[in-house]
Amino acid sequence: MEKQKAIITGGSRGIGLAIIKKLLEDNYEVWYLSRTEVEENLGPFIHHIKTDVSDKENLVESLNTAVKEAKVVDLLVNNAGITRDGLLMRMSDENWDDVITVNLTSAFITCRALSRTLLKQKHGAIVNISSVVGVSGNAGQANYSASKAGLIGLTKSLAKEFASRGIRVNAVAPGFIETSMTEKLSDAQKEAIVAQIPLKKLGSAEMVADTVRFLASSASQYITGQVICVDGGMVI
Ligand code: NAD
């Protein structure tokens, strides 16, 4: 069976790495654009392109390399993300700009850079990794929530723009997932969070990856412009 081709931003760890592993299981060949390389050997169908997604030129150059090698893009996953939390009153311009650049502008750049290829080939899927706080907002995360809400707006607009060419665009909004992004939380903070989750547990990177796998596959062929919360029911 011919391999499907996927490009993902980030992916060296956490949710991105879990997505890569599921895609490899699903017969994809994957190009991941991140600053560091995955340490484990994941076989011959994974390619690292050293990229800082906050550097537009570097990002576009890496995307061009990936497209040249892959020829077809069946799936794009915008996964790279950072947090720089703090109350608005004390939030620096730098912490605002960094989060918007990595989380939102990088997704705009990748979608724009790959749009010609996607529209020409008349098939493909885009999955943007947003967050439940992009839906609900969160005190102390104005920059992060705005970037993730922006991704939802980007998702819905591109779903409408690209639908006639057979390209689906969806977002996944994870809740509290156990990765390096959430490991800074104390046990007491985690307990307080779990108390507010109807399913009474934190999520795993694999749970998010399973949803991305679904949105990439033909099992979701009639789904576009949607935001799927993978959050144990936290935001209902
Ligand atoms: P993580 O910190 O483990 O991974 C973040 C990924 O982004 C890494 O692969 C990192 O290399 C990459 N990245 C960050 N800045 C980059 C840059 N400038 N250039 C290239 N790559 C860069 O966190 P994670 O939990 O795996 O996060 C993955 C995505 O899921 C992020 O978009 C995050 O906002 C989102 N998310 C996570 C949670 C959670 O609870 N962990 C919840 C909601 C949304």
Side-chain angles (χ1 to χ4, degrees), residues 10-16 33-36 51-54 79-82 102-103 129-132 144 148 174-177 179-182:
S12 54
R13 59 170 195 256
I15 291 171
L33 280 46
S34 72
R35 290 164 302 181
T36 51
T51 311
D52 178 348
V53 302
S54 67
N79 161 76
I82 57 168
V102 172
N103 297 7
I129 309 299
S130 177
S131 166
V132 282
Y144 185 74
K148 295 300 186 178
F176 279 95
I177 309 298
T179 68
S180 60
M181 198 171 261
T182 47

Side-chain angles (χ1 to χ4, degrees), residues 58-193:
N58 181 205
L59 178 56
V60 170
E61 209 175 288
S62 297
L63 289 163
N64 288 342
T65 306
V67 171
K68 210 166 153 193
E69 290 175 15
K71 294 186 178 65
V72 174
V73 180
D74 298 290
L75 173 67
L76 163 65
V77 183
N78 284 304
N79 161 76
I82 57 168
T83 52
R84 297 281 183 272
D85 297 351
L87 294 175
L88 186 85
M89 257 174 85
R90 287 195 286 272
M91 189 173 285
S92 66
D93 288 5
E94 195 185 2
N95 282 354
W96 174 270
D97 289 341
D98 286 354
V99 168
I100 299 292
T101 301
V102 172
N103 297 7
L104 180 58
T105 308
S106 76
F108 156 66
I109 300 289
T110 60
C111 291
R112 188 178 61 181
L114 297 182
S115 59
R116 198 174 293 271
T117 305
L118 287 165
L119 294 173
K120 218 158 93 185
Q121 68 190 25
K122 292 200 177 85
H123 82 271
I126 298 175
V127 180
N128 293 320
I129 309 299
S130 177
S131 166
V132 282
V133 303
V135 179
S136 67
N138 198 20
Q141 289 198 306
N143 50 0
Y144 185 74
S145 304
S147 72
K148 295 300 186 178
L151 269 181
I152 292 173
L154 180 72
T155 301
K156 292 185 178 185
S157 301
L158 295 189
K160 290 184 175 178
E161 228 174 283
F162 292 175
S164 63
R165 300 291 187 101
I167 295 142
R168 297 180 301 108
V169 189
N170 289 290
V172 175
F176 279 95
I177 309 298
E178 286 194 279
T179 68
S180 60
M181 198 171 261
T182 47
E183 75 186 3
K184 304 163 215 160
L185 296 171
S186 67
D187 285 348
Q189 282 172 312
K190 282 188 188 169
E191 270 173 39
I193 290 163

Side-chain angles (χ1 to χ4, degrees), residues 200-221:
K200 295 290 170 233
K201 58 179 180 189
L202 297 180
S204 68
E206 288 68 32
M207 293 170 187
V208 179
D210 274 330
T211 308
V212 174
R213 161 191 249 176
F214 165 69
L215 290 173
S217 75
S218 60
S220 62
Q221 62 181 291

